[in-house]
């Protein structure tokens, strides 16, 4: 009976030691994720972007054209994302959109935070909530924080879209990537 109690105690101690050595995946940002990206961009006709309010007002008065920016939804992307160490807290971030492109960005890790660096370029599409209504090339940046097994990245887009045959410049964006860690 005494041997059985000693063996049980040893087994419990071993289990505690082994579980203490296991890496807590919630603490590391690197790894494989399933992601979805969506949001909105605020666009202005490229020929008007950069004009000051007085110039916009004069242009609107002279041409009778609506010069107000328009907010448009981004067509959602979803797929697999991988964040891999590249040395010295630098990482490579890959986005493999199931129905679209594979994009690669560089970044860095700061604790539970990932920061996309440089000016990577990707294609993006616009939607009216039902159909694809435009597309363009954008530079993107952003940073995100891992909360347990969920990584949320707030992204910024810069660039141009073609919407109804009109070149439009991104003047603001509200884009989010929500990624679930894959065990």
């Amino acid at each position: 009976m005494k041997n059985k109690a000693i063996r049980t105690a040893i087994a419990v101690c071993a289990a505690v030691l082994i579980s203490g050595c296991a890496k807590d995946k919630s603490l590391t940002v690197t790894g494989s994720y399933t992601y979805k990206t969506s949001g909105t961009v605020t666009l202005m006709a490229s020929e008007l972007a950069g004009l000051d309010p007085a110039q916009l007002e004069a242009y609107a008065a002279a041409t009778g054209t609506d010069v107000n920016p328009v907010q448009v939804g981004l067509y959602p992307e979803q797929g697999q994302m991988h964040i891999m160490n590249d040395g010295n807290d630098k990482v490579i971030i890959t986005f493999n959109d199931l129905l679209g492109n594979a994009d690669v960005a560089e970044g860095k890790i700061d604790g539970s935070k990932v920061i996309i660096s440089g000016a990577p370029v990707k294609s993006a599409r616009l939607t009216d909530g039902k159909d694809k209504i435009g597309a363009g090339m954008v530079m993107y940046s952003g940073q995100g924080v891992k909360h347990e097994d969920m990584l949320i990245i707030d992204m910024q887009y810069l660039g141009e879209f073609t919407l109804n045959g009109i070149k439009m410049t991104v003047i603001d964006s509200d884009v989010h990537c929500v990624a679930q860690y894959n065990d």
Side-chain angles (χ1 to χ4, degrees):
M1 187 70 150
K2 195 174 186 182
N3 282 340
K4 188 175 184 182
I6 291 173
R7 277 187 253 150
T8 303
I10 290 172
V12 168
C13 286
V16 168
L17 285 174
I18 290 170
S19 68
C21 294
K23 191 172 184 182
D24 184 356
K25 299 290 186 188
S26 68
L27 298 178
T28 182
V29 177
T30 57
S32 175
Y33 296 83
T34 301
Y35 81 95
K36 187 164 191 170
T37 300
S38 61
T40 60
V41 289
T42 303
L43 305 171
M44 179 174 271
S46 293
E47 65 185 34
L48 303 176
L51 297 179
D52 65 43
Q55 291 171 316
L56 285 173
E57 187 177 318
Y59 183 86
T63 64
T65 304
D66 182 3
V67 296
N68 293 315
V70 53
Q71 190 176 56
V72 183
L74 290 167
Y75 195 80
E77 299 172 17
Q78 61 186 357
Q80 293 297 309
M81 175 174 65
H82 299 282
I83 301 176
M84 302 162 290
N85 278 324
D86 192 24
N88 299 327
D89 289 332
K90 291 185 180 180
V91 291
I92 297 173
I93 306 162
T94 65
F95 298 90
N96 185 4
D97 182 7
L98 290 176
L99 300 175
N101 295 324
D103 298 301
V104 179
E106 294 179 349
K108 72 177 197 166
I109 301 287
D110 183 7
S112 64
K113 196 184 292 186
V114 62
I115 302 161
I116 299 171
S117 57
V121 177
K122 64 181 278 165
S123 66
R125 295 169 289 177
L126 302 172
T127 182
D128 61 3
K130 182 180 173 193
D131 296 318
K132 296 174 193 165
I133 59 171
M137 299 299 289
V138 294
M139 291 184 296
Y140 63 99
S141 61
Q143 67 178 19
V145 176
K146 187 167 182 189
H147 305 277
E148 295 182 16
D149 61 351
M150 187 73 60
L151 176 62
I152 301 170
I153 304 173
D154 295 321
M155 301 175 79
Q156 296 79 41
Y157 283 9
L158 293 171
E160 278 192 336
F161 287 92
T162 301
L163 179 63
N164 297 324
I166 300 170
K167 290 277 188 197
M168 306 288 280
T169 298
V170 178
I171 60 171
D172 195 18
S173 65
D174 183 27
V175 183
H176 306 282
C177 177
V178 177
Q180 174 74 43
Y181 187 81
N182 297 326
D183 289 324

